[in-house]
Amino acid sequence: MIIGIEGVSCTGKTTLCAALRPLLGAALTIPCYYHTAPDPDMLPNPVATSAQEQLEGMRVLLGIERVRRARAEEAMNHGHLIVLDRTVDTLLAHTRAVARIQGLDSDHAARTLAVDSTPLIPDLTLLLRAPSDVLTERARRRPGLPPIFYDGAFTRHFEDHFSRPLARTCVRVDATQPTDVLAAHAHQLIKEHAPTQPTGGER
């Protein structure tokens, strides 16, 4: 099973991934694009000024996605459950949000690029959500974080993407809960959406 943890910056994705580890047993967490990139300086400008720039950035990030997919496939071959700290849907959600803010037309081309790259598609994505004031307060503890990543308009457009994500199932989750409560809730959702295993008498 592949689980995606999604949301804008400061919703607590990485914190939740860490809290889920002791609950999930044989699971591998695949880090986000920033922490998977061989060199973070290769990452595209988060606020593109043209559709062409957005699509070029998407190609760079899909190259990093291939690295994440290779790690995940190796782990799945050994029977591990996979937890993704951000998924390919984050790339599309970000593209959508910036495109709406900048007045660009790149959604369809970006989605085509993503699908054609055969990325990791989660069986279940948990979309973490928090009010703007909570995100702003958390962002104060992360100096240097571009303000657009927790801007209200950006958040709204980003989350709109998840009305039609690539993930097979997406559940919106309140990210303001205490970490232990959030992890327990997420764990329950994962169990509820886990693929059913055939019994011994089934073929």
Side-chain angles (χ1 to χ4, degrees), residues 174-193:
D174 177 9
T176 64
Q177 304 172 82
T179 299
D180 58 341
V181 175
L182 178 58
H185 182 203
H187 187 215
Q188 182 60 37
L189 289 169
I190 291 166
K191 289 192 292 183
E192 290 173 3
H193 289 85

Side-chain angles (χ1 to χ4, degrees), residues 11-56:
T11 48
K13 296 177 298 299
T14 303
T15 299
L16 177 58
C17 287
L20 280 171
R21 284 192 197 109
L23 301 177
L24 294 177
L28 174 69
T29 297
I30 304 294
C32 68
Y33 296 88
Y34 180 88
H35 290 108
T36 301
D39 179 1
D41 287 341
M42 72 183 288
L43 295 173
N45 183 347
V47 187
T49 57
S50 69
Q52 180 181 352
E53 184 183 352
Q54 278 200 312
L55 297 177
E56 288 172 355

Side-chain angles (χ1 to χ4, degrees), residues 125-161:
T125 284
L126 303 180
L127 175 62
L128 303 187
R129 305 177 72 207
S132 180
D133 59 333
V134 172
L135 297 177
T136 300
E137 178 59 33
R138 291 178 179 180
R140 291 196 180 102
R141 301 193 290 269
R142 294 180 60 181
L145 182 69
I148 192 171
F149 285 166
Y150 53 92
D151 173 79
F154 178 90
T155 297
R156 183 173 68 256
H157 294 309
F158 183 99
E159 292 180 350
D160 282 349
H161 164 78

